[in-house]
């Protein structure tokens, strides 16, 4: 009896395996549903992000940008928390937060690091736009590196 059940089970298992081999591959994000534009079906508001930041114990973090992530199914959230830029990801259900690097397999590019670099570059000061008419300029004016010190004498 046991031998017959095992034989029946193995036949059913093999039949299922053969059917699986002949079926088309299943894609996690097919062209149906959102029609390749996830923002048609999914959204996240600034209030949603503020609530997430509150739950992460960072209620004062400034939201710089929220956009779809390079990894489908996630939102990319760029923040400035106490002067430090940061990037994290929120799933479409707004249930999970992912912190860490998103790396593109084909190119090996670290998409998270690209975003962090862009955030840091946006904070960079253009020295040519600082008015120096009333400034005390010291050192070699042709030096490639410049330092600005701002003080209030009062």
């Amino acid at each position: 009896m046991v031998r017959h059940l095992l034989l029946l089970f193995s036949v059913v298992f093999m039949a299922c395996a053969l059917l699986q081999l002949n079926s088309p591959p299943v894609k996690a994000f097919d062209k149906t549903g959102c029609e390749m534009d996830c923002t048609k079906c999914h959204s996240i508001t600034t209030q949603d992000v503020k609530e997430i930041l509150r739950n992460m114990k960072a209620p004062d973090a400034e939201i710089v940008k929220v956009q779809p992530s390079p990894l489908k199914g996630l939102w990319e959230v760029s923040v400035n928390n106490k002067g430090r830029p940061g990037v994290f990801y929120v799933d479409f259900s707004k249930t999970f937060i992912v912190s860490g690097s998103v790396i593109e397999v084909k190119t090996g590019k670290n998409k998270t690091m690209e975003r962090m670099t862009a955030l840091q570059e946006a904070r960079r000061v253009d020295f040519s736009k600082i008015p120096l008419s009333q400034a005390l300029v010291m050192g070699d004016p042709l030096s490639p590196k410049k330092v600005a010190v701002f003080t209030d004498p009062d």
Side-chain angles (χ1 to χ4, degrees):
M1 177 72 171
V2 173
R3 184 179 285 175
H4 292 292
L5 285 174
L6 286 174
L7 181 62
L8 180 63
F9 176 74
S10 62
V11 169
V12 170
F13 179 77
M14 290 300 284
C16 289
L18 287 173
L19 286 173
Q20 185 67 23
L21 287 175
N22 292 330
S23 65
V26 177
K27 295 180 181 176
F29 293 94
D30 207 348
K31 291 183 181 179
T32 59
C34 297
E35 300 171 7
M36 299 302 286
D37 180 7
C38 296
T39 58
K40 285 185 176 182
C41 301
H42 306 281
S43 64
I44 190 167
T45 65
T46 304
Q47 192 58 41
D48 293 334
V49 176
K50 285 180 181 179
E51 182 63 29
I52 290 167
L53 289 168
R54 215 177 350 270
N55 290 336
M56 291 174 55
K57 309 290 189 257
D60 298 328
E62 171 196 355
I63 302 166
V64 176
K65 189 173 189 178
V66 179
Q67 63 187 13
S69 162
L71 182 61
K72 292 202 183 279
L74 298 176
W75 294 106
E76 180 181 275
V77 180
S78 302
V79 295
N80 186 354
N81 189 17
K82 299 179 183 173
R84 297 179 65 200
V87 175
F88 63 93
Y89 303 93
V90 179
D91 73 312
F92 281 173
S93 69
K94 302 170 198 137
T95 306
F96 297 100
I97 295 170
V98 180
S99 66
S101 296
V102 172
I103 299 173
E104 190 174 37
V105 174
K106 283 186 177 183
T107 63
K109 289 182 180 178
N110 186 330
K111 302 306 253 179
T112 304
M113 191 54 65
E114 285 180 4
R115 179 67 59 217
M116 288 290 292
T117 302
L119 287 171
Q120 290 170 341
E121 287 297 319
R123 296 179 63 216
R124 197 171 288 251
V125 175
D126 183 1
F127 272 87
S128 66
K129 294 183 180 177
I130 298 174
L132 300 176
S133 60
Q134 295 182 347
L136 173 62
V137 180
M138 298 171 34
D140 183 1
L142 301 177
S143 174
K145 300 206 184 237
K146 300 186 181 343
V147 175
V149 179
F150 296 91
T151 63
D152 183 1
D154 295 329

